[in-house]
Amino acid sequence: MDRNTIIGFLLMALVLFGYTWYMQPSPEQKAAMQRYQDSLLQVENTRLAEINNVETAATDPVEEMTVDEHTLRLRNEYVDFAPFAEGEEKTITLSNPQVTLTFSTHGGRLTQAILNEYNTYDSLPVMLFNSENNAYGFIFKAQGRTINTADLYFVPELSADNRTLSMKLPFENGSSFEVRYTLPEEGYMLDMKIYQNGMENILPRNTVDLDMYWSQMLRRQERGRMFEERNSALYYKFVGSDVERLSETKDEHESITTGLKWIGFKNQFFSSVLIAGRKLNGARLESTVLPEDNTYLKSYKAETTVDYDPMSTEGPAFRFFLGPNLYPLLKSYDKGLDSDDKLQLPKLIPLGYKFFRWINTGIIIPIFTFLGKYFTNYGVIILLMTLIIKAVLMPLTFKSYMSSARMRVLKPQMEEINAKYPGQDKAMDRQRATMELYSNAGVNPMSGCLPLLLQMPILLAMFAFFPSSIELRQQPFLWADDLSSYDAIFTWDAYIPLITPYFGNHISLFCLLMTITNILYTKINMDSTGGGQQMPGLKLMMYLMPLMFLFIFNNYASGLSYYYFVSLLITIIQTYIFRKCINEEKVLAKLKENQKKPRKKSGFMARLEEAQRQQQAALKRQQQQRRR
């Protein structure tokens, strides 16, 4: 390094030293700097303390801050209904000899219905529903929010006579919404009416309808699930029109746009029915068959609307029917009403199609009810009713037997005709000769069928009556402990394909007796008419029919099988009495005497012979065309 470079570095060092010495702060500036640094440290300490306070608040919240936030959230979600979004649930009970109803302040709704006079198959009180499987409520639309009354807590007030319960929402501005329930001293009908004041200050003034929903899981009440499920359905009635229902055996939903009077959730023997004071503005209905268990059968849902004016002091009115499907009871609600106003609640009871239903409603049920006034054992009542029906039908039964007797005594002459005109090519001649024999003897081959056809509507009406008769429910007779269900004498637990789903895991004794009696009756008929000898295939089919009935009726009400058993037994006895009282030789002599007399043909025989002539003429024309 040369001398000049060293001198340059020294000069630079002197300049830097001099600049540093000249620029150093004075004692006053040092004190100010210290104060500034102290203030920065204080600010940092304050910031750290705030962070620690926030963390502490997260684990141990300050009550005032939480209340404010919670109130704002409720206000935002429930708007003017926010004061009722929280509360303590209380239950109130209304009861009379027939029903015990429990209401909850949470939702202001009926939560449980118990029928005091009925028990389930396992001896528990019949509970139509409770809070776990039944829900309904009204839907308000206010300030862009949807408010469900089931989420609100109502203020209860019970009347002095314990007959009326008021569930009320008293708003801060003086408005109010009230659901008032009234249960009469006796009966199954619960009134539900809406009263309000100043609701136009809570809801939009242009509100014209109120949404309502109702859902229920249908509880199992009877021993035989298969039959109970088959006889349970969602019913509904159109305003001024008929009653319809959704499918009993499969899932189904229906959207209805016309007015409805009521919607019913029906079990085999009990129903919950929502009845509108005026009308329901259509509905969306849904019925779902639930997987098999021991608690529930089906799921029902209904969504509907009703006319609503927030400025009116009286809102929509409803009634709940919560009771048994007892025909006289349901019919009593239509007394004194015009035809268009009738509820037609008896349509909840499946008594057969229109052609057969009138037999049950006009004949069978009045007889059944009349006998029930004097006899307490329903096995005896069924026996007496069967005797009455068989006595009324005896003239038809006698006429049918006489027709069979005439055909039977003419059998030798029929065989002569068959021998005279053998083969298929002489079938027309054989048929013509047979008709001449019938005409000359004064025998109508259809006269035996007509009495049987006239008896069929009664048999079919009874087929619908017994499984629907709640009077037979849990009524014992002989070995059967419940005439409304099957009377099992032998049961098993194993699942057998094709047997268990349709026949069940049991054998019903009354059904077995009916089958045996039916086979015996078939044999008597076949022997008396000789049908089995003329048509062997028919004989086999006739014996198969009773066996089919065994599979069909094994799960049905034992009262029905008992009725058919007694009815067949009486018919067999009548047959033997007729056979003893009717001298077939005299019948044959009378027919031969008729054959000697000129006899005017009946209208039926004349039409039958005319049809034969036309058939013969057509056959001849066909033969002539073939020859050409």
Side-chain angles (χ1 to χ4, degrees):
M1 183 181 297
D2 58 11
R3 188 179 60 179
N4 293 332
T5 303
I6 295 172
I7 294 171
F9 275 115
L10 290 174
L11 290 174
M12 291 175 62
L14 289 172
V15 170
L16 289 174
F17 176 78
Y19 178 80
T20 303
W21 178 81
Y22 180 77
M23 295 301 295
Q24 67 178 346
S26 63
E28 292 81 4
Q29 289 175 328
K30 290 180 179 180
M33 183 65 69
Q34 184 64 41
R35 289 193 299 269
Y36 175 73
Q37 290 178 351
D38 292 341
S39 64
L40 289 177
L41 181 61
Q42 184 177 2
V43 170
E44 181 66 17
N45 291 335
T46 303
R47 188 179 69 84
L48 293 174
E50 290 178 352
I51 292 175
N52 291 332
N53 289 337
V54 171
E55 292 178 351
T56 304
T59 58
D60 187 16
V62 180
E63 184 176 355
E64 291 78 11
M65 184 180 297
T66 302
V67 169
D68 291 339
E69 291 178 354
H70 188 62
T71 302
L72 289 175
R73 184 185 65 79
L74 291 179
R75 183 69 186 182
N76 180 64
E77 185 175 353
Y78 292 95
V79 291
D80 290 332
F81 294 86
F84 314 111
E86 293 182 329
E88 180 182 357
E89 182 177 12
K90 298 179 181 179
T91 59
I92 302 95
T93 300
L94 298 180
S95 65
N96 63 20
Q98 287 73 41
V99 296
T100 299
L101 307 179
T102 303
F103 301 82
S104 172
T105 57
H106 188 199
R109 59 190 177 93
L110 172 65
T111 56
Q112 182 174 278
I114 295 177
L115 305 185
N116 301 329
E117 299 177 333
Y118 296 92
N119 292 325
T120 62
Y121 67 98
D122 50 0
S123 301
L124 297 175
V126 168
M127 180 188 297
L128 294 183
F129 55 80
N130 59 21
S131 59
E132 296 178 357
N133 46 61
N134 185 78
Y136 67 90
F138 301 100
I139 305 296
F140 294 114
K141 296 176 182 178
Q143 303 178 36
R145 297 290 185 267
T146 299
I147 310 299
N148 188 341
T149 57
D151 299 330
L152 306 178
Y153 288 83
F154 287 68
V155 177
E157 183 179 347
L158 186 62
S159 64
D161 60 359
N162 293 332
R163 300 261 68 89
T164 300
L165 172 63
S166 169
M167 292 289 190
K168 198 171 187 179
L169 299 176
F171 294 89
E172 296 174 351
N173 61 359
S175 301
S176 64
F177 180 85
E178 176 189 0
V179 182
R180 190 178 300 174
Y181 300 95
T182 301
L183 181 68
E185 293 183 0
E186 290 191 359
Y188 299 92
M189 198 72 78
L190 172 71
D191 286 338
M192 180 177 73
K193 296 181 179 179
I194 293 177
Y195 296 90
Q196 57 190 14
N197 177 47
M199 286 301 291
E200 69 274 12
N201 300 322
I202 305 297
L203 303 175
R205 291 174 178 263
N206 60 352
T207 302
V208 295
D209 54 37
L210 183 63
D211 293 339
M212 183 180 183
Y213 69 93
W214 183 26
S215 63
Q216 186 179 121
M217 302 273 283
L218 192 69
R219 297 175 64 91
R220 180 182 171 188
Q221 310 288 356
E222 311 305 322
R223 178 171 58 186
R225 176 190 170 93
M226 180 190 303
F227 207 75
E228 184 181 11
E229 182 179 289
R230 192 186 306 171
N231 285 272
S232 302
L234 192 158
Y235 282 68
Y236 54 95
K237 182 190 182 300
F238 292 100
V239 173
S241 188
D242 208 354
V243 176
E244 300 290 344
R245 68 178 183 269
L246 299 186
S247 174
E248 302 98 329
T249 58
K250 62 181 181 180
D251 297 350
E252 187 176 4
H253 61 85
E254 186 79 23
S255 294
I256 301 169
T257 57
T258 54
L260 296 178
K261 184 61 179 177
W262 54 258
I263 298 172
F265 295 165
K266 175 190 174 295
N267 196 288
Q268 182 179 1
F269 294 120
F270 307 99
S271 293
S272 305
V273 185
L274 173 66
I275 306 169
R278 294 183 179 177
K279 67 172 182 175
L280 305 172
N281 298 326
R284 188 183 185 281
L285 308 174
E286 182 178 330
S287 174
T288 304
V289 180
L290 299 176
E292 185 167 338
D293 61 34
N294 291 324
T295 306
Y296 301 112
L297 299 172
K298 298 178 181 179
S299 172
Y300 296 143
K301 294 181 180 179
E303 297 176 359
T304 184
T305 64
V306 290
D307 294 336
Y308 178 72
D309 181 4
M311 292 185 288
S312 175
T313 56
E314 292 190 12
F318 306 89
R319 283 184 292 170
F320 273 113
F321 170 77
L322 308 163
N325 301 326
L326 182 63
Y327 185 87
L329 171 68
L330 298 179
K331 188 178 180 182
S332 67
Y333 293 115
D334 285 337
K335 287 183 179 179
L337 298 179
D338 296 334
S339 58
D340 290 341
D341 297 330
K342 291 183 183 298
L343 297 177
Q344 298 185 38
L345 290 177
K347 292 291 184 69
L348 288 167
I349 307 175
L351 295 174
Y353 293 104
K354 292 181 179 179
F355 184 72
F356 308 118
R357 186 179 178 89
W358 70 268
I359 298 175
N360 279 322
T361 58
I363 300 175
I364 303 301
I365 292 179
I367 294 175
F368 199 71
T369 304
F370 174 79
L371 293 175
K373 295 179 181 179
Y374 301 97
F375 300 91
T376 57
N377 189 304
Y378 278 88
V380 175
I381 291 175
I382 293 174
L383 174 61
L384 294 175
M385 187 172 65
T386 307
L387 291 172
I388 293 173
I389 293 174
K390 298 301 289 186
V392 173
L393 295 177
M394 182 175 288
L396 295 177
T397 307
F398 180 78
K399 187 174 182 180
S400 177
Y401 182 85
M402 282 299 298
S403 178
S404 299
R406 293 190 185 100
M407 297 291 292
R408 191 163 50 251
V409 298
L410 288 177
K411 184 179 178 181
Q413 298 182 54
M414 290 289 299
E415 292 176 349
E416 292 177 4
I417 293 174
N418 293 335
K420 185 177 180 180
Y421 301 103
Q424 187 62 32
D425 56 337
K426 295 184 179 181
M428 297 302 299
D429 294 331
R430 185 168 60 250
Q431 190 176 16
R432 177 181 52 78
T434 301
M435 290 299 102
E436 288 181 357
L437 173 63
Y438 289 155
S439 179
N440 294 334
V443 173
N444 186 344
M446 299 299 295
S447 62
C449 298
L450 185 59
L452 294 177
L453 291 176
L454 293 176
Q455 296 181 54
M456 283 301 295
I458 295 179
L459 294 176
L460 294 175
M462 302 302 285
F463 179 79
F465 169 74
F466 280 103
S468 302
S469 175
I470 192 174
E471 291 90 343
L472 299 180
R473 186 176 182 272
Q474 298 179 358
Q475 293 296 323
F477 179 67
L478 298 179
W479 56 83
D481 56 1
D482 186 350
L483 287 172
S484 71
S485 184
Y486 54 82
D487 55 319
I489 58 165
F490 181 72
T491 60
W492 60 90
D493 296 328
Y495 181 88
I496 304 176
L498 300 179
I499 299 295
T500 300
Y502 303 101
F503 186 78
N505 281 7
H506 64 273
I507 295 178
S508 300
L509 182 53
F510 270 129
C511 182
L512 186 62
L513 292 174
M514 179 199 69
T515 302
I516 295 173
T517 309
N518 205 349
I519 293 174
L520 178 61
Y521 178 65
T522 300
K523 184 179 186 306
I524 293 173
N525 273 348
M526 297 294 287
D527 292 344
S528 63
T529 60
Q533 298 174 355
Q534 296 179 11
M535 301 179 66
L538 176 63
K539 181 177 181 179
L540 178 62
M541 187 175 69
M542 293 296 290
Y543 282 120
L544 284 176
M545 287 297 292
L547 295 177
M548 291 177 60
F549 289 152
L550 175 63
F551 278 83
I552 294 173
F553 288 95
N554 192 58
N555 279 305
Y556 270 67
S558 56
L560 177 64
S561 298
Y562 167 57
Y563 166 76
Y564 282 152
F565 163 64
V566 173
S567 180
L568 285 168
L569 202 59
I570 294 175
T571 302
I572 292 173
I573 295 173
Q574 285 180 334
T575 301
Y576 279 106
I577 293 175
F578 293 156
R579 184 175 294 180
K580 291 292 184 180
C581 296
I582 297 174
N583 190 327
E584 292 190 358
E585 292 181 357
K586 292 183 179 180
V587 173
L588 178 59
K590 178 66 175 178
L591 296 180
K592 287 183 176 180
E593 186 177 333
N594 291 339
Q595 289 176 289
K596 297 177 182 179
K597 298 178 181 178
R599 186 175 183 85
K600 183 179 180 181
K601 297 178 181 178
S602 65
F604 172 79
M605 294 301 298
R607 289 191 298 270
L608 190 59
E609 290 185 5
E610 179 61 26
Q612 284 183 329
R613 283 193 292 269
Q614 292 179 1
Q615 189 176 5
Q616 286 178 339
L619 183 59
K620 289 180 180 178
R621 286 195 298 270
Q622 290 178 0
Q623 292 175 350
Q624 291 175 357
Q625 290 175 357
R626 291 174 182 174
R627 291 172 184 173
R628 293 175 183 175

